[in-house]
Amino acid sequence: MSIGAQESRKLNKSYNVFHQFNKLAYFGWPLGKRANLPFYSQPQAGKILWQMDSLYDRIQESIRYISSQVSEKPAVGVVLGSGWWNFIRELDQPQGIDFSNIPHFLPTHLGKKSGGLIIGRLGQLPVACLIGRLHTYEGFTVHEVSYPVRVLGAWGIKVLFVTNAAGGINPRFSPEDLMLICDHINMTGENPLKGEEEEKLGQRFLDMTRAYDPTFIRLARAVARKLGIKLRKGVYVGVNGPVYETP
């Protein structure tokens, strides 16, 4: 099919407008409705609702704000899942920052409870705790869910303890058993490393051979024996939920 010069110019103009529209910003999303796009920024009336800054730049902006609010840089990160929030009572000199105040962090869907970052000391060890996680089954994207952990890693935290409450499919386990995760299987069909590659963020294809450090696993088992705590050992299977799996 052939087209005339005038139609050709119209098509080129339409393509250029569409290309710039997608390259620069997302307009027209209804206020009050969260855009289903990664790294969403809170909308302001009369302004562009979403800007395609690089992920690296967003992370650095989050880190700058957090650093301005706390007195020291943590060495260890802890993700506090369901039933683990009382851990923050063990921290000395805790400082809290609500997620909604940190640039590019999203508030959680917890009703009156609000997610946040708690910085404090456990003995002599500076610790950063994330309370109130985001979940994909709440409608968040995998990039939004993983963003707080990306920030901790870019901030220099290299040791992360992750806790949660989960169902069990091992018939030998009992309710309320404490299980030490030694490996995981991702069955969600999602991966937070997908998307446009940014060299500043480091390698995309990661070596997962020792994702769960054998030294920490041995230490946890030794401490459990010393304290008389029954500690199971197993593999965590990640599924989308929301569900507590059973045998």
Side-chain angles (χ1 to χ4, degrees):
M1 180 180 68
S2 61
I3 60 176
Q6 184 176 359
E7 288 79 7
S8 178
R9 285 193 296 271
K10 287 182 179 179
L11 286 175
N12 287 334
K13 183 177 180 181
S14 297
Y15 172 79
N16 289 332
V17 170
F18 178 80
H19 178 71
Q20 293 302 320
F21 173 86
N22 282 276
K23 180 179 179 182
L24 295 178
Y26 185 90
F27 294 89
W29 197 269
L31 292 177
K33 182 176 181 181
R34 188 174 63 84
N36 188 23
L37 294 168
F39 316 118
Y40 163 80
S41 296
Q42 294 290 347
Q44 297 181 25
K47 294 186 178 181
I48 293 174
L49 302 188
W50 189 78
Q51 194 79 26
M52 287 190 68
D53 299 329
S54 73
L55 174 55
Y56 177 84
D57 290 338
R58 289 175 175 267
I59 290 173
Q60 294 305 311
E61 186 176 354
S62 298
I63 291 173
R64 285 193 295 271
Y65 177 82
I66 295 171
S67 298
S68 72
Q69 300 297 308
V70 299
S71 57
E72 66 177 336
K73 183 177 179 179
V76 172
V78 182
V79 178
L80 296 176
S82 302
W84 290 88
W85 284 31
N86 284 337
F87 175 79
I88 61 177
R89 297 180 179 178
E90 304 295 324
L91 299 180
D92 294 326
Q93 304 173 5
Q95 298 176 273
I97 309 174
D98 194 286
F99 281 165
S100 61
N101 292 329
I102 304 175
H104 312 299
F105 274 58
L106 293 179
T108 58
H109 292 170
L110 294 175
K112 293 182 180 179
K113 296 180 180 179
S114 179
L117 175 65
I118 310 296
I119 310 293
R121 278 185 165 265
L122 189 65
Q124 297 300 313
L125 184 68
V127 176
C129 298
L130 295 172
I131 60 173
R133 297 165 299 156
L134 310 178
H135 304 88
T136 56
Y137 63 73
E138 295 175 301
F140 295 105
T141 70
V142 66
H143 300 94
E144 292 166 343
V145 169
S146 60
Y147 185 79
V149 173
R150 278 188 176 273
V151 170
L152 292 186
W155 200 17
I157 292 176
K158 302 304 180 186
V159 176
L160 180 69
F161 291 90
V162 181
T163 66
N164 77 332
I169 59 175
N170 188 330
R172 292 177 294 178
F173 284 14
S174 301
E176 299 184 4
D177 273 355
L178 187 63
M179 191 193 86
L180 182 64
I181 299 176
C182 299
D183 203 350
H184 75 259
I185 300 173
N186 182 2
M187 297 185 65
T188 66
E190 292 284 1
N191 192 321
L193 298 178
K194 70 181 183 180
E196 184 178 355
E197 186 172 11
E198 295 186 37
E199 293 184 359
K200 291 182 179 180
L201 295 176
Q203 296 183 9
R204 167 175 287 184
F205 296 93
L206 304 177
D207 181 1
M208 299 296 290
T209 307
R210 298 166 65 91
Y212 301 88
D213 193 284
T215 301
F216 289 133
I217 292 174
R218 289 193 296 269
L219 179 61
R221 300 184 75 178
V223 171
R225 284 193 299 268
K226 182 177 180 180
L227 298 177
I229 297 174
K230 181 181 178 180
L231 183 63
R232 300 285 194 175
K233 182 180 178 182
V235 175
Y236 183 83
V237 178
V239 296
N240 281 322
V243 67
Y244 283 126
E245 296 74 16
T246 55

